[in-house]
Amino acid sequence: MVLKPLKSPESITVAITGRCNLSCKYCFYADEMVALQDLPTKSWLDFFSEAKEAGVMKITLSGGEVFVRKDIFELIHGIVENKMRFNILTNGTLITERA
């Protein structure tokens, strides 16, 4: 039997924050993430670059609520700059005409 090398996933989902602007009683995620701190912007930008080099083509940003991060548009730019597609999982309550 010949073993083939593992391929990188084409798509990944990353939780960029554990923070959320809501306190939903049914949320399974809040208790697990509340004590963790967000990674700095540079760490995520470096990660996106490494993901691209590994062959990742699409990144889904999730949380908590991704729009609580003040650097969310910088993170999105980092994904686009690495020529990858992105999706955002959001509760939608922080989306305005400006954002």
Side-chain angles (χ1 to χ4, degrees), residues 12-67:
I12 59 174
T13 299
V14 294
I16 60 171
T17 186
R19 295 177 291 136
C20 186
N21 61 314
L22 301 178
S23 297
C24 302
K25 291 184 185 235
Y26 57 82
C27 181
F28 66 92
Y29 205 63
D31 291 338
E32 295 176 27
M33 297 298 289
V34 71
L36 301 177
Q37 292 186 358
D38 293 348
L39 288 175
T41 306
K42 177 152 178 24
S43 294
W44 280 117
L45 295 176
D46 291 345
F47 174 80
F48 298 149
S49 179
E50 291 174 23
K52 175 60 179 174
E53 288 177 27
V56 173
M57 297 169 49
K58 182 171 65 175
I59 295 181
T60 299
L61 301 176
S62 72
E65 172 50 49
V66 297
F67 285 104

Side-chain angles (χ1 to χ4, degrees), residues 14 16 41 44-45 48 59-62 65-67 69-90 95 99:
V14 294
I16 60 171
T41 306
W44 280 117
L45 295 176
F48 298 149
I59 295 181
T60 299
L61 301 176
S62 72
E65 172 50 49
V66 297
F67 285 104
R69 286 195 65 128
K70 295 188 186 309
D71 63 351
I72 185 62
F73 294 107
E74 187 175 353
L75 296 179
I76 291 169
H77 179 74
I79 295 169
V80 172
E81 194 172 62
N82 279 288
K83 298 183 178 12
M84 294 182 288
R85 294 184 178 267
F86 68 94
N87 293 318
I88 297 176
L89 295 178
T90 177
I95 298 174

